[in-house]
Amino acid sequence: MMTNRADASKLKVVMIVGVLSLFLLVGCGGRAENLHREDVFQVTFISSLPTNDVEEMEAYLYELLAEDLPEGISIQVQMTLPSFDRLTVELINKQADVVIVDDGLDQILIDPYYLAPLESIDGVNKQEFDRFVREDDRDGREHLYAVGYDEMSRLREDVPYELEYDLVAGVVATSPHQTLALNLIKKWL
């Protein structure tokens, strides 16, 4: 009986070391380069929105951003069910320009190394969204990195679904479409 416990303990240690090694590899040089496409504005939903409505969401975004969309830029929407793993992959890949998640995933999303500060959006203040403010240890200043969309927001009004959670959105810091992304965030408020 003692060997089974000892074997189980050894197995746990090996698994922990393996997982930590994976995180170390990803964190120390395994980070993906900026994979954004200059000709595509990518909006990623990791939420409880139905994943089969991609075409409708793209059509909606084309209509919403008609005046702001630069010539030659297409819109691509990705919709996946809420998942910590999927959001982690998205954070590492850096392909999306805007990421929208269910409220329960917001603490993983809000990362000063991943998201751009949103203070430049007219009408948005840190006090209203203070739970999305974080200190950036690169400059020692606090910035607003995400905004929330409750049932009173335009986003929630425009989406024809009853959602269990509020949505939270942020703009990816490495996005080549910062102005367009900030305009979208503002329009949805």
Side-chain angles (χ1 to χ4, degrees), residues 99 101 106 109-111 115-119 121 124-126 128-134 143-149 167-171 185 189:
V99 177
V101 301
D106 63 323
L109 175 68
I110 303 170
D111 181 340
L115 296 179
L118 301 179
E119 286 93 7
I121 299 176
V124 172
N125 64 50
K126 286 186 199 178
E128 183 180 356
F129 300 109
D130 66 336
R131 69 187 188 108
F132 306 127
V133 172
R134 298 290 183 278
H143 299 283
L144 176 66
Y145 289 101
V147 296
Y149 298 107
L167 297 172
V168 176
V171 174
I185 295 287
L189 290 172

Side-chain angles (χ1 to χ4, degrees), residues 36-42 70 73 97 171 174-182:
H36 294 284
R37 291 184 46 195
E38 296 286 332
D39 61 336
V40 176
F41 180 63
Q42 184 174 317
I73 303 293
D97 297 294
V171 174
T174 56
S175 168
H177 307 291
Q178 292 287 316
T179 302
L180 186 58
L182 293 172

Side-chain angles (χ1 to χ4, degrees), residues 79-121:
M79 299 177 84
T80 61
L81 294 175
S83 160
F84 292 107
D85 295 336
R86 176 67 184 122
L87 181 53
T88 302
V89 168
E90 190 59 49
L91 293 171
I92 293 169
N93 283 342
K94 296 183 182 177
Q95 292 180 340
D97 297 294
V98 176
V99 177
I100 302 95
V101 301
D102 279 349
D103 195 10
L105 295 174
D106 63 323
Q107 295 308 309
I108 295 172
L109 175 68
I110 303 170
D111 181 340
Y113 293 101
Y114 178 66
L115 296 179
L118 301 179
E119 286 93 7
S120 64
I121 299 176

Side-chain angles (χ1 to χ4, degrees), residues 138-164:
R138 294 171 290 189
D139 66 9
R141 295 177 38 207
E142 288 189 338
H143 299 283
L144 176 66
Y145 289 101
V147 296
Y149 298 107
D150 62 17
E151 63 278 346
M152 303 305 286
S153 66
R154 179 174 182 180
L155 172 59
R156 293 286 303 276
E157 288 177 0
D158 289 352
V159 173
Y161 304 105
E162 287 291 322
L163 298 177
E164 188 175 338

